[in-house]
Amino acid sequence: MDTLNMRTGGEGEPAVVLLHGLGATGAVWAHFTPPLARRVLVPDLPGHGPSSPLPHYSFGTLTAAVARALPEHGPYVVAGHSLGGVLALELASGKYDVEVAGVLALGVKVEWSQDDLGRAASFAAKPPRVFETRVDAEQAYLKVSGLLGIAPADPAGLRETEGGWRLAMDPAAFGVGAPDMPALLAAARCPVVLAAGEHDPMCCPGQLRALDPDAVTLAGLGHNAHVEDPAAVRALLERFGV
């Protein structure tokens, strides 16, 4: 049985679930959650931080693991960043016996080239890289998660091992592939807000607007907008009564 590390806090309904992106941990939401007057649940996704790895990674298996870790059937407002945004949309499909009242999908990469997919598959096939020092591993963690220069490394994202340090992340998680965003949006059984930072190198706001003319561009922000300006992203949750 998979086991997810879950950070919890606060009170009030509907509860808010916050899903981090590939390579990060739930710690990226640390400055986002305190002002939320709601119960908040922040898992480390499978194969990230101290959470158990999966035998196979797909959007479905990751979402199913999150659904099993939630303490009840909802309703939840779910905000997800990058990979977490895809999982939030998948969770809203009704296939996982979880009631989702609203989804904020932030910084989801919607256009994937064959080169993009090839690089991801290559990363997924490699064993974890071992770094001589913890500092080197911290730098690698920040690069993989896109947090270099905007946040410290989460100690839970690192693991001491024979010969040095490695990332706690299971590299096989890189193999999830590209999301079918039109299908995910069509299947969602709740209101959805798509958003991206104006300068997000992975998610062009124009690509989101092609999917939804009402997609939100967050001025001056990059890929990790929820870390760069938590208040700007929190404001989007107000659309769901949060």
Side-chain angles (χ1 to χ4, degrees), residues 120-145:
S122 177
F123 285 135
K126 293 178 180 178
R129 181 180 176 186
V130 177
F131 299 88
E132 288 188 9
T133 70
R134 178 174 179 144
V135 171
D136 289 340
E138 288 176 346
Q139 290 299 297
Y141 168 85
L142 294 171
K143 288 178 181 177
V144 167
S145 59

Side-chain angles (χ1 to χ4, degrees), residues 4 6 17 19 43 45-46 61-70 87 91:
L4 296 195
M6 182 81 73
V17 179
L19 303 177
L45 295 178
T61 60
L62 286 162
T63 304
V66 171
R68 288 191 293 269
L70 295 176
L87 305 188
L91 194 65

Side-chain angles (χ1 to χ4, degrees), residues 7-28:
R7 299 164 173 84
T8 61
E11 296 180 354
E13 303 299 332
V16 177
V17 179
L18 301 173
L19 303 177
H20 65 79
L22 187 69
T25 68
V28 295

Side-chain angles (χ1 to χ4, degrees), residues 5 7 20 23-27 44 47-51 128-129 131 134 137-142 144-145 147 152-160 165-170:
N5 183 55
R7 299 164 173 84
H20 65 79
T25 68
D44 292 326
H48 291 72
S51 291
R129 181 180 176 186
F131 299 88
R134 178 174 179 144
E138 288 176 346
Q139 290 299 297
Y141 168 85
L142 294 171
V144 167
S145 59
L147 295 170
D154 178 14
L158 307 174
R159 190 168 296 166
E160 192 169 11
W165 293 81
R166 53 159 287 195
L167 305 189
M169 176 191 178
D170 181 359

